[in-house]
Amino acid sequence: MGSWYINRTFFFDVHPPLGKMLIGLAGYVTGYDGTFPFDKPGDKYYNTSYIGMRVFCTAVGATIVPMSFLIVDEMTHSVTAALFSSLLILLDVGLITLTQYILLDPLLLCFLMGSILGAIKVSSDSTREFSFRWYSWLIFTGLMLSCCISVKFVGLFAVMLVGLITISDLWRILGDLTRPVTVTLKHLIARAICLIIWPILLYVTFFYIHLAVLNRSGNGDGFYSSAFQSQLIGNSLHNASMPHLVAYGAVVTLKNHRTGGGYLHSHYHLYPDGIGAKQQQITTYTHKDDNNKWIIYKYNTNDVKGVTIVRSGDLVRFVHLPTKRNLHSHKEQAPITKKHFQVTGYGENGTGDANDIWRVSIIGGTDGSEVTTVSSKIRLIHYLQSCALTSTGKQLPKWGYEQQEVSCNPNLRDANAIWNVEENFFQKLPNVSFKVYAPSFIERFLESHAVMFQGNAGLKPKEGEVTSRPWQWPINYRGQFFSGSAYRIYLLGNPVIWWGNLVFLIVFVIVFITRSIKQQRGYVKTLTVEAPNRHLEACAWMFLAWSLHYVPFWAMGRVLYFHHYFPALLFNSMLTGILFDYLLDVIPCLFPEKIGTTIYHTMMGLFLAILMYSFVNFAPLAYGMTGPSSSERNSTMSGLKWLDSWEF
């Protein structure tokens, strides 16, 4: 995708554009020419200036460690807690692996930490409110929030966290009865401008640059509407020259009008046994190829005499150009949407039966209105079954090549049953240049988001694909392959850090509940020897942040991978560092001074020794390895069970 930015070639991706644009920019300024194909991970970079992109991603990822130090130091006023937290992040081999390759994750994690750092600095007592420094941190926070969500939509969790920090801060200011309400209003206005309006403007600007740079036709065109495609240089609709009217005998492509809708498509494959009639598959496909082409005929003949324009109300047949089979429907259940009828390819060389007949209906037109290229929105109503040709948007299994289901919906008002003729080839009519309706930037912006949201919703696990579930992430049960070549890259966290984080999560819940009960019951005897309250408050915020970045994945039906846990891991590691520092202050105080000092140093030394020992033993994971065969790699065994078989 970085290459496509350099070549200005349009593409589709389910994520916002900023991360790819920055990687492309890094490659461009360091001499990369955008020609490397990036077919699969593990390919050799022959004569390719890839170093700039690698260094950029790694440098951005490296900022996570100092920012974690600053965040914890600002929240706890404890250098020890900040040191422990940043060491846990620095020495995790999973984060090292994730941040040393050309990926979006280093940028996401950097902007995430920047957002939290800015929010903490703004709410800190050490930053004088409404000063130049305070406004600088506020603007910085808005910038980081915008960048975070502009890399991946999971940045929305960071927006929610900063929103909660801001609400807490405003509530505290409002509750200070020594200050006038106008101070709270000034805070509210300043934060609304810097944390809402400013990030939105930046987000829209990033998309404006994205759409301005990618102005050439590419393999992502088919995901977007015909009007959207008309703005892409090299697309068949850019300065379109083709017959304006659709005539019988024309070869056409039919584009579904729904956002992200594909082209009516067929291929030389039948529906499998048990899926309605075992006839030729009909799907929608979002890429352009010859299997999207259909010939339109009158319902009762294949003869084309002269030029006869297709009109609203006509009865027609569509013959698939490569396979010569008719677009057909009958009273069999659709493969996925059981309340709809199955749509198939039927007959030979245009000879079929009455179930091949469709009635053309122009939306907003009257019977007799001419069908025009692109501009006419049409429904195709089955003559016998009285149902509308529909693209449901649901993905077919592997037997359908994971293309989208086409069915015939008895509900004739289905919004997904609207089509338009996109390409129109007919030698008996002159090609004319006509201007396709050019959407405004706002329309293209909104359509881009609708397509991205739909693409995200359609990311379902594929048959045989090795994915993971949220319960597997914190326990480091199974990692993730980044390369399947002989030199394999495997993403796996440091188990000592990850399992230790889980233990400290549980300890925090116990300590927090115990302390809360003590405070409510007025039992203050032991509070005199406990660490400052700010440590537990900081832990509470980290626990909330971890929950926000982890728990929502349990409700997601989309495909999930191990790397989705790393934003939550950062907060868990900071919680561990803060809580360990808290325990270092509390536990030694329960003993005589000399014994307490010994316990303090023993605990600290043991913590650092275990941390360094685990890093030394698992560091080779971060630098690639050779290992098990592809069959072992795709098995359901956990990553840890077969680590012994790897050669480092």
Side-chain angles (χ1 to χ4, degrees):
M1 293 175 184
S3 298
W4 288 333
Y5 276 108
I6 293 173
N7 298 321
R8 308 194 69 172
T9 303
F10 191 78
F11 65 92
F12 163 72
D13 187 38
V14 297
H15 301 304
L18 181 62
K20 283 96 64 178
M21 284 198 297
L22 291 175
I23 290 173
L25 179 62
Y28 179 75
V29 299
T30 55
Y32 173 56
D33 59 6
T35 58
F36 189 76
F38 288 100
D39 288 331
K40 61 183 182 299
D43 287 349
K44 297 294 183 182
Y45 289 110
Y46 292 115
N47 300 318
T48 301
S49 300
Y50 68 95
I51 296 295
M53 292 180 284
R54 284 282 300 271
V55 169
F56 170 71
C57 290
T58 304
V60 169
T63 63
I64 297 169
V65 177
M67 283 195 289
S68 67
F69 184 96
L70 293 173
I71 289 170
V72 175
D73 183 50
E74 192 69 47
M75 296 182 76
T76 63
H77 299 172
S78 169
V79 174
T80 307
L83 177 65
F84 288 157
S85 299
S86 55
L87 278 177
L88 287 168
I89 292 172
L90 174 67
L91 301 180
D92 180 57
V93 293
L95 281 165
I96 293 173
T97 303
L98 197 65
T99 56
Q100 68 174 326
Y101 297 109
I102 305 173
L103 299 168
L104 295 179
D105 299 89
L107 284 74
L108 174 69
L109 298 178
C110 169
F111 296 141
L112 168 64
M113 296 297 279
S115 302
I116 308 307
L117 175 60
I120 296 300
K121 286 287 188 179
V122 167
S123 62
S124 172
D125 294 333
S126 63
T127 308
R128 186 167 59 86
E129 60 186 19
F130 305 123
S131 64
F132 176 80
R133 184 167 180 263
W134 186 84
Y135 273 113
S136 297
W137 278 115
L138 196 59
I139 293 170
F140 173 80
T141 305
L143 171 65
M144 291 292 102
L145 283 176
S146 182
C147 291
C148 189
I149 200 169
S150 296
V151 173
K152 286 188 177 182
F153 282 125
V154 293
L156 180 62
F157 301 143
V159 174
M160 295 169 62
L161 179 60
V162 171
L164 291 173
I165 293 173
T166 302
I167 291 171
S168 173
D169 205 21
L170 291 173
W171 183 254
R172 176 180 56 80
I173 296 169
L174 181 63
D176 187 351
L177 299 180
T178 63
R179 311 178 73 185
V181 176
T182 54
V183 174
T184 306
L185 291 176
K186 287 176 65 177
H187 273 279
L188 182 62
I189 293 171
R191 293 168 198 247
I193 293 172
C194 295
L195 300 183
I196 299 177
I197 298 175
W198 164 239
I200 290 174
L201 290 175
L202 285 174
Y203 183 78
V204 174
T205 301
F206 296 147
F207 264 90
Y208 182 85
I209 298 171
H210 163 73
L211 294 174
V213 171
L214 300 182
N215 64 351
R216 299 183 182 277
S217 180
N219 62 7
D221 296 13
F223 290 91
Y224 296 82
S225 67
S226 300
F228 191 107
Q229 294 180 47
S230 70
Q231 305 303 296
L232 301 174
I233 299 171
N235 189 279
S236 59
L237 296 175
H238 183 72
N239 297 325
S241 179
M242 64 182 76
H244 187 52
L245 298 176
V246 179
Y248 289 104
V251 176
V252 299
T253 60
L254 293 170
K255 179 91 164 75
N256 189 264
H257 208 68
R258 69 195 292 269
T259 301
Y263 298 94
L264 188 65
H265 178 96
S266 189
H267 39 238
Y268 287 97
H269 297 280
L270 307 181
Y271 287 102
D273 291 332
I275 308 293
K278 195 174 181 180
Q279 297 173 3
Q280 187 166 294
Q281 296 176 16
I282 303 292
T283 65
T284 56
Y285 187 49
T286 49
H287 298 283
K288 296 185 177 185
D289 68 18
D290 287 340
N291 281 326
N292 301 337
K293 293 181 178 179
W294 301 80
I295 309 173
I296 184 169
Y297 289 117
K298 290 184 178 179
Y299 75 97
N300 56 356
T301 180
N302 285 358
D303 293 334
V304 179
K305 297 178 181 179
V307 177
T308 305
I309 304 302
V310 180
R311 298 176 183 273
S312 183
D314 285 2
L315 299 179
V316 302
R317 280 183 303 107
F318 289 92
V319 179
H320 189 235
L321 182 62
T323 63
K324 307 302 181 187
R325 287 184 172 159
N326 299 333
L327 184 67
H328 176 100
S329 187
H330 45 225
K331 284 191 175 179
E332 293 280 352
Q333 287 182 333
I336 297 178
T337 311
K338 301 302 183 183
K339 292 183 179 180
H340 295 188
F341 297 134
Q342 182 187 33
V343 176
T344 67
Y346 178 75
E348 297 290 341
N349 294 317
T351 301
D353 61 24
N355 278 318
D356 304 336
I357 302 174
W358 302 82
R359 178 169 57 84
V360 178
S361 176
I362 298 179
I363 296 174
T366 58
D367 284 353
S369 301
E370 296 175 328
V371 177
T372 57
T373 307
V374 179
S375 57
S376 288
K377 299 177 183 179
I378 62 175
R379 295 185 193 273
L380 298 175
I381 311 300
H382 195 263
Y383 181 64
L384 293 184
Q385 311 303 336
S386 188
C387 56
L389 185 71
T390 300
S391 172
T392 65
K394 297 176 181 177
Q395 193 176 66
L396 294 170
K398 269 192 173 180
W399 56 258
Y401 299 93
E402 295 170 349
Q403 296 171 10
Q404 293 184 346
E405 178 192 40
V406 170
S407 64
C408 201
N409 189 354
N411 175 15
L412 302 184
R413 295 183 178 274
D414 186 354
N416 295 334
I418 302 174
W419 305 80
N420 65 268
V421 174
E422 182 170 291
E423 293 181 314
N424 180 12
F425 307 96
F426 191 62
Q427 293 182 349
K428 295 180 181 180
L429 281 177
N431 290 340
V432 296
S433 296
F434 60 92
K435 190 73 174 178
V436 178
Y437 162 69
S440 65
F441 163 69
I442 295 299
E443 290 173 313
R444 299 175 76 200
F445 175 80
L446 294 175
E447 182 175 341
S448 296
H449 281 77
V451 173
M452 285 190 294
F453 293 150
Q454 183 177 312
N456 267 301
L459 288 176
K460 305 297 182 184
K462 301 176 182 178
E463 293 180 22
E465 185 178 13
V466 179
T467 61
S468 59
R469 295 303 305 163
W471 69 266
Q472 299 172 332
W473 302 340
I475 61 175
N476 219 21
Y477 178 79
R478 178 191 294 135
Q480 179 180 347
F481 273 92
F482 281 169
S483 172
S485 62
Y487 187 82
R488 296 195 178 99
I489 308 302
Y490 191 70
L491 178 64
L492 190 71
N494 184 329
V496 173
I497 293 176
W498 287 53
W499 295 342
N501 281 345
L502 281 182
V503 171
F504 275 88
L505 272 178
I506 297 170
V507 171
F508 163 71
V509 173
I510 295 171
V511 170
F512 188 81
I513 292 174
T514 303
R515 184 183 176 91
S516 298
I517 293 173
K518 283 181 179 180
Q519 289 178 325
Q520 288 298 318
R521 296 178 65 85
Y523 183 69
V524 296
K525 181 179 179 180
T526 61
L527 294 184
T528 56
V529 296
E530 291 186 4
N533 191 50
R534 66 172 68 94
H535 274 64
L536 285 187
E537 288 182 359
C539 284
W541 279 111
M542 293 304 168
F543 183 82
L544 176 62
W546 173 81
S547 302
L548 279 175
H549 287 81
Y550 174 59
V551 174
F553 286 104
W554 285 80
M556 293 184 185
R558 59 157 287 171
V559 61
L560 297 173
Y561 298 102
F562 184 63
H563 71 265
H564 286 126
Y565 183 68
F566 279 81
L569 173 71
L570 295 177
F571 297 109
N572 198 349
S573 295
M574 287 190 284
L575 184 153
T576 299
I578 297 169
L579 187 60
F580 186 75
D581 185 49
Y582 174 86
L583 296 176
L584 280 179
D585 284 341
V586 171
I587 295 176
C589 292
L590 302 177
F591 299 90
E593 183 177 352
K594 290 185 178 180
I595 297 176
T597 302
T598 303
I599 292 174
Y600 177 89
H601 288 102
T602 301
M603 289 175 63
M604 180 179 287
L606 191 61
F607 179 86
L608 294 174
I610 293 174
L611 196 58
M612 294 303 298
Y613 179 79
S614 67
F615 173 73
V616 169
N617 277 272
F618 286 93
L621 279 170
Y623 299 102
M625 59 196 78
T626 59
S629 65
S630 59
S631 60
E632 292 173 310
R633 170 161 48 90
N634 294 326
S635 72
T636 56
M637 294 174 63
S638 76
L640 294 175
K641 287 180 181 176
W642 41 256
L643 270 178
D644 290 340
S645 68
W646 293 77
E647 299 173 4
F648 297 104

